[in-house]
Amino acid sequence: MKPLNADLHCHSTVSDGLLAPADLVRRALANGVELLALTDHDELGGVAEAHATADELGMRFVDGVEVSISWGDDQTVHIVALGIDPANPALLEGLRQVRSGRDARAGRMAAELDKAGIHGAYEGALRHAGNPALISRSHFARYIVEQGHVKDVKSVFDNWLAKGKPGYVEHAWATLADALRWIVGGGGIAVIAHPARYRLSHAQRRELFSEFKDLGGRGIEVLSGSQKDDEVREFSRIAREFGFLASRGSDFHGPGESWIDLGRMPDLPEGLTPVWSQLV
Ligand code: AMP
Ligand code: MN
Ligand code: MN
Ligand code: MN
């Protein structure tokens, strides 16, 4: 049987993506995606438009969100929530709280960047984000490229915005327990996003996965736009060992600014249970 082209992780202009929700859905369809989830950072505002567009076009669609959490020693981890109810009050209130920290964090980032010779970054990032509650490092990166400091967004992260660089500030996002309470409590499926991107030791990683599982977490992104073949093999092994459902998501943000385009990942390795088998 031909594997389903599912893409269960991407971003629209409602967070730090470059395409409006409806345009993202059209692009996914044109790329051959058969099942799509929109997973903006800490925000459900794009889901209704995307879902309606997918319905019109006859494409299967899952409501989602990518929740930012802090875990362990100031590690930021992202949890993708799939099949949530976008009207769930606990989820909406939880996400509102997570977003409420972004504006002050952006102010602190701008102050650090100013010391590093990048001026006007708060106003510049806000112009890209459109809303203070949604300002992310991606918006800072776009402003810094626009100012001619470096040629692309990736170089901005390498020089200023990655952990340990001059524009990086620590920030307390949601706790893993809170995020899972909002997601699982509302009937959604929680998935660990892009597991290869965290700077964790093997022991810490295992600790994260067991804690996640104990709190009701069920899935892991075996395929993510940023994951290499050996990482795909490693997280396939982890999925089997922990009994996790396997997810597949591009983490697409926009043309020219992403690891991979919508739906353009390889198929899931054999023998894993796809998370979409549990999504109706
Ligand atoms: P924030 O939630 O404000 O910490 O921003 C995180 C976002 O920055 C991620 O969702 C990505 O869109 C983007 N990002 C993080 N690291 C990189 C990187 N190395 N290259 C390009 N974009 C990145
Ligand atoms: Mn992002
Ligand atoms: Mn992420
Ligand atoms: Mn993402």
Side-chain angles (χ1 to χ4, degrees), residues 9-11 16 39 41 66 78 80 193-194 197 251-253:
H9 185 156
C10 65
H11 298 271
D16 58 351
T39 57
H41 296 286
E66 181 176 16
H78 287 172
V80 160
H194 42 66
R197 300 235 301 263
D251 204 1
F252 178 78
H253 282 71

Side-chain angles (χ1 to χ4, degrees), residues 6-216:
D7 190 339
L8 302 179
H9 185 156
C10 65
H11 298 271
S12 76
T13 44
V14 167
S15 61
D16 58 351
L18 293 169
L19 300 180
D23 294 332
L24 195 69
V25 172
R26 286 187 202 105
R27 186 180 183 98
L29 187 71
N31 280 6
V33 172
E34 296 164 292
L35 174 67
L36 181 73
L38 174 64
T39 57
D40 276 313
H41 296 286
D42 312 314
E43 172 60 85
L44 290 162
V47 157
E49 176 185 318
H51 205 146
T53 308
D55 284 350
E56 265 167 45
L57 299 173
M59 185 167 84
R60 287 172 66 197
F61 184 85
V62 169
D63 294 334
V65 63
E66 181 176 16
V67 186
S68 313
I69 67 136
S70 297
W71 186 81
D73 174 22
D74 187 45
Q75 290 287 339
T76 299
V77 171
H78 287 172
I79 304 294
V80 160
L82 299 173
I84 42 88
D85 169 7
N88 182 276
L91 178 63
L92 284 169
E93 173 54 22
L95 295 177
R96 193 196 58 74
Q97 278 172 30
V98 179
R99 290 195 302 272
S100 71
R102 280 195 180 267
D103 191 23
R105 171 195 187 235
R108 288 186 284 127
M109 285 176 62
E112 294 302 316
L113 287 168
D114 195 66
K115 288 187 221 159
I118 293 173
H119 309 298
Y122 176 83
E123 294 72 17
L126 179 57
R127 214 164 5 83
H128 283 276
N131 174 351
L134 295 173
I135 303 184
S136 78
R137 285 184 290 161
S138 306
H139 302 113
F140 277 93
R142 287 172 198 151
Y143 169 72
I144 293 170
V145 170
E146 192 181 272
Q147 292 298 297
H149 294 283
V150 280
K151 66 175 191 321
D152 60 17
V153 157
K154 185 186 174 302
S155 312
V156 179
F157 277 88
D158 293 346
N159 288 292
W160 291 285
L161 299 181
K163 191 170 160 104
K165 300 295 174 182
Y168 182 87
V169 300
E170 297 203 348
H171 184 71
W173 301 106
T175 64
L176 183 63
D178 279 345
L180 279 153
R181 203 163 32 74
W182 306 330
I183 300 165
V184 178
I189 296 184
V191 174
I192 295 182
H194 42 66
R197 300 235 301 263
Y198 310 125
R199 284 206 241 152
L200 298 171
S201 68
H202 279 274
Q204 287 172 319
R205 225 179 226 183
R206 301 185 71 80
E207 202 186 321
L208 170 67
F209 300 155
S210 351
E211 212 176 292
F212 171 77
K213 187 174 168 138
D214 290 345
L215 291 165

